[in-house]
Amino acid sequence: MHPLWTEALNTLRSHLSEESYNTWIAPLCFAGVDASGQLTLKVPNRFYADWVNAHYAAIILEVFAAGVPEPAKLHCKWEVDEGLQAQLQAQVERERQTDARDASRSGAAEREMTRPALERKATATAGRASAVSAVAPATTSAQLNPKYRFDTFIVGPSNQLAHAASVAVGASPGRRYNPLFMYGGVGLGKTHLCNAIGHQIRADRPAARIVYVSAEEFTNEFIWALRNHRIDAFRARYRSACDVLLMDDIQFLAGREQTQEEFFHTFNALYHADRQIVVTSDVFPQQIPEMQERLVSRFQSGLVADTQPPELDTRVAILQKKAEQEGIDLDAAVAHYVAQVVKSNVRELEGTLLRLAVKAELLKQPLSLELARATVAPQQSAPMRRGSVDEIQRVVCEHYGLRISDLKSKGRQRSVALPRMVAMYLCRQRLQLSYPEIGDRFGGKDHTTVINAVRKVTRLVNDDVDMNAVLDRLNLSLNRSA
Ligand code: ADP
Ligand code: MG
C-alpha cells in the first residue's frame, strides 16, 4: 500500500468514530496518485463519492500534501468501481435477507422501515459521528456523458417529438414540460437526450444542481442509505440539493415498492418546487409492470414522448455523424449499405460501424463495401442454432476454464461471476427463457440476479470490445456444436 495512503487512513481512523470509519473509509480503494497531483480513489457509488468528497477529502489531501512536490495541484478523482459496487450490493442483500428472516419471525416485516423511525435513527447517527456534519453532500456535478449532446443527436421523424421536448426542457427547465417522460425501445436515444438536456441546462445555468441517475443507481443508493442511516443525506441529494432530476430507465423500479414510495416523495418535493424532472423508460408509463398507479399518473401529467427506430435516411445520417466523431473514413455507399442491413436500433448501428472500423484497421484495408458485406451480412443472417442451457454452460465453462458447478455455485469472485453472467446472458438471448427459469438452471438464483446479469453483460457488449470478441467466439462455438 502507498505509505501516504496508509498514513491518511491512520489519520482518518483517529479523527472518526468507528462507525463512520467503517461506513465511509474502509470501503474506499486507493488507486494511486499521479504526477499531476491527481489522487484516484475508487468508490462503490456516486452518492458515496459525494459524501466522502465533501467530508473527508480535505483530510486525505492534507496528508498527501506533505509528500508530493506540488501540493497546490492535489485533487481527488472519484471512480465508481463495479467490483466495489457489487460487494456493497452483496452486503446490502445479505443484510436484507437477515432482516427479512428476523422480521418474519417477529411478524414485523415493515415496522423497522417506517419513516419516523428511520428519521430518528438518521438524526441520532448524524449527531454522533464527529466529522460528519448534518449537511447535505456537496453539490453533485452530474456525471453526464460528454458525447451525448444535442449537436451529436440526429433528428428524424422517429425521434422528432422527444427531441423537440428535450430542447424545450433544456432551454427552460421546470416550466412547460414537467415532467418530461420519454419512452422507447433499447438503443433509440433516450439516454442520449436525457444527457443532452443536462448539458444544455448546465451551459446556460452553471449553478444549477443537476442530478443524472439511473433508477438502478437510485435504488442502490436508497437501500444503502437506509442500511447506513444516511437517509437524510440521500434525501438532501435528491430533494433539497437538486434543481434538475434526470432519472433514466425508471422501469427498473418495477415491483420495488419501497423505492417507488421514496421516488414518489422525491418527485412531489421537486415538482412542487418547480424543479425539472425528466424520466425515461423502455415502455409507456402504463405498461411498466408493477408500478404504483399514482406514479404512473404523475408520469402522464406532463409530456410523454416516444423514440422509435429511425428510418433509413436517419440511420445513414447517424452513421455519418458517428464516423465523423470517431474519425472513421466512411464511404457513402458503405454507410448506405450498413444502414439498410442494421435496422433495429442505433446502438447496434454504431456497434457495427465500430466493428467494421476495427476490422479494416486490423486487416490494413480500407473500409470498403466488400469488407462491409463480408462482415455485416453473416452477422445479420446466420440462422442461429439455439442450443440448450446445458450446452451454453458447457461452452462457457470450456472458454473460461471452469466447472459447471462453479456456474451454479454462489461464488461471487469475478473469475466466476463474470462467466456466470455471460452464460445467463446467452441463455436469455439464444433461448429466450424467462429470468426465473434461467435462475433455476443456475443453482436456484433469484430472478433479479439474472436480470442484473443480463443488464450488465448488455452494457459490456456496448462498451467493451473484448466482451464482443468473447461473445462472438461463444456464439460461434454454439452455432457449430452439434
Ligand atoms: P437508449 O437510452 O434509448 O437505450 P441511448 O441513448 O443509449 O439509447 O442510445 C444508444 C446509442 O445510440 C448512443 O450511443 C447514442 O448516442 C446513439 N444514438 C441514439 N439515437 C441517436 C440519434 N438520433 N443520433 C445520434 N446518436 C444516437
Ligand atoms: Mg438508456
Side-chain angles (χ1 to χ4, degrees):
M1 207 185 307
H2 195 289
L4 288 173
W5 179 240
T6 310
E7 198 184 326
L9 289 181
N10 289 337
T11 311
L12 286 162
R13 197 177 276 121
S14 66
H15 274 65
L16 303 184
S17 69
E18 193 182 332
E19 190 205 347
S20 295
Y21 184 87
N22 289 337
T23 306
W24 298 106
I25 307 302
L28 287 184
C29 186
F30 176 72
V33 54
D34 68 12
S36 73
Q38 175 168 288
L39 226 81
T40 305
L41 291 157
K42 297 193 170 169
V43 286
N45 61 45
R46 265 187 245 155
F47 169 56
Y48 199 100
D50 280 347
W51 185 275
V52 180
N53 192 36
H55 297 98
Y56 310 118
I59 303 178
I60 299 173
L61 292 179
E62 209 174 295
V63 172
F64 273 81
V68 297
E70 283 195 88
K73 293 195 180 148
L74 264 180
H75 62 280
C76 290
K77 177 169 170 243
W78 304 94
E79 269 177 14
V80 175
D81 181 89
E82 294 202 337
L84 294 177
Q85 202 166 33
Q87 271 173 25
L88 186 68
Q89 262 166 26
Q91 182 200 336
V92 167
E93 185 60 24
R94 269 196 308 277
E95 289 178 13
R96 201 176 58 81
Q97 281 168 1
T98 321
D99 272 7
R101 270 199 303 278
D102 294 351
S104 63
R105 245 182 253 131
S106 66
E110 289 283 298
R111 201 181 306 144
E112 193 239 353
M113 295 299 199
T114 56
R115 206 168 295 280
L118 270 170
E119 268 156 14
R120 271 201 304 280
K121 254 193 209 164
T123 355
T125 33
R128 203 184 326 137
S130 56
V132 181
S133 72
V135 298
T139 314
T140 321
S141 69
Q143 298 195 356
L144 299 170
N145 186 325
K147 287 188 185 167
Y148 295 169
R149 294 171 180 276
F150 284 129
D151 59 11
T152 53
F153 192 83
I154 302 289
V155 188
S158 58
N159 55 33
Q160 209 162 16
L161 177 62
H163 175 263
S166 299
V167 169
V169 164
S172 46
R175 298 268 177 73
R176 295 236 308 278
Y177 305 118
N178 204 16
L180 169 60
F181 187 99
M182 293 190 281
Y183 73 96
V186 184
L188 297 179
K190 302 180 298 294
T191 298
H192 189 133
L193 286 173
C194 214
N195 277 267
I197 293 173
H199 285 301
Q200 186 64 50
I201 297 176
R202 188 193 279 166
D204 297 344
R205 301 168 169 75
R209 294 161 304 177
I210 302 164
V211 178
Y212 169 83
V213 69
S214 69
E216 183 173 4
E217 289 167 305
F218 181 87
T219 305
N220 290 339
E221 290 179 17
F222 174 59
I223 295 173
W224 180 81
L226 275 182
R227 300 299 327 160
N228 292 288
H229 315 308
R230 304 293 163 190
I231 202 71
D232 52 345
F234 176 86
R235 294 205 174 124
R237 166 165 155 84
Y238 287 104
R239 298 187 196 179
S240 46
C242 173
D243 299 317
V244 179
L245 179 61
L246 308 167
M247 170 74 90
D248 212 354
D249 291 320
I250 196 82
Q251 74 276 356
F252 185 83
L253 296 194
R256 292 170 196 267
E257 277 290 324
Q258 218 192 340
T259 314
Q260 284 184 26
E261 176 81 20
E262 179 66 24
F263 183 66
F264 178 73
H265 293 289
T266 306
F267 186 102
N268 287 343
L270 294 174
Y271 184 79
H272 291 305
D274 288 331
R275 310 269 168 83
Q276 179 70 45
I277 303 159
V278 178
V279 174
T280 77
S281 160
D282 60 357
V283 289
F284 191 70
Q286 270 155 334
Q287 290 167 345
I288 309 174
E290 296 178 80
M291 183 64 82
Q292 294 180 3
E293 191 43 46
R294 54 186 189 164
L295 269 174
V296 172
S297 76
R298 291 284 187 292
F299 294 155
Q300 289 177 307
S301 66
L303 180 67
V304 177
D306 64 335
T307 52
Q308 294 291 333
E311 308 67 25
L312 179 64
D313 288 346
T314 314
R315 296 201 295 275
V316 173
I318 291 174
L319 280 171
Q320 282 164 341
K321 183 89 194 172
K322 189 78 192 168
E324 183 193 309
Q325 255 175 287
E326 303 288 332
I328 299 168
D329 202 1
L330 182 65
D331 193 76
V334 176
H336 207 79
Y337 173 75
V338 173
Q340 259 170 341
V341 183
V342 184
K343 296 176 180 159
S344 54
N345 78 55
V346 181
R347 187 172 289 147
E348 209 184 314
L349 202 60
E350 285 182 358
T352 306
L353 173 66
L354 293 181
R355 262 202 297 283
L356 279 175
V358 168
K359 189 163 176 183
E361 200 173 297
L362 286 176
L363 297 176
K364 301 201 181 356
Q365 283 179 14
L367 209 180
S368 63
L369 193 55
E370 208 184 346
L371 181 78
R373 283 224 173 91
T375 314
V376 181
Q379 164 192 331
Q380 291 287 318
S381 60
M384 193 143 94
R385 260 200 80 262
R386 293 165 24 136
S388 64
V389 175
D390 292 336
E391 252 181 282
I392 290 175
Q393 292 179 335
R394 181 179 56 74
V395 167
V396 170
C397 282
E398 257 168 35
H399 177 83
Y400 286 101
L402 296 174
R403 289 164 311 196
I404 305 273
S405 58
D406 293 328
L407 294 185
K408 300 185 176 176
S409 75
K410 292 203 159 50
R412 285 181 184 275
Q413 60 281 33
R414 197 177 155 79
S415 58
V416 180
L418 183 70
R420 186 189 295 131
M421 289 192 282
V422 168
M424 287 175 167
Y425 171 88
L426 286 170
C427 287
R428 177 72 183 171
Q429 223 203 12
R430 295 181 70 98
L431 313 178
Q432 272 102 44
L433 294 178
S434 74
Y435 294 119
E437 272 173 307
I438 298 174
D440 280 349
R441 303 292 302 269
F442 282 77
K445 302 275 185 306
D446 192 59
H447 72 282
T448 52
T449 309
V450 183
I451 294 177
N452 285 332
V454 173
R455 288 224 173 97
K456 173 83 191 275
V457 176
T458 309
R459 213 178 299 150
L460 288 174
V461 169
N462 292 320
D463 299 341
D464 182 348
V465 184
D466 292 347
M467 183 44 78
N468 267 307
V470 168
L471 282 175
D472 282 352
R473 276 182 59 176
L474 293 172
N475 274 318
L476 212 62
S477 315
L478 286 164
N479 289 344
R480 282 209 200 105
S481 68

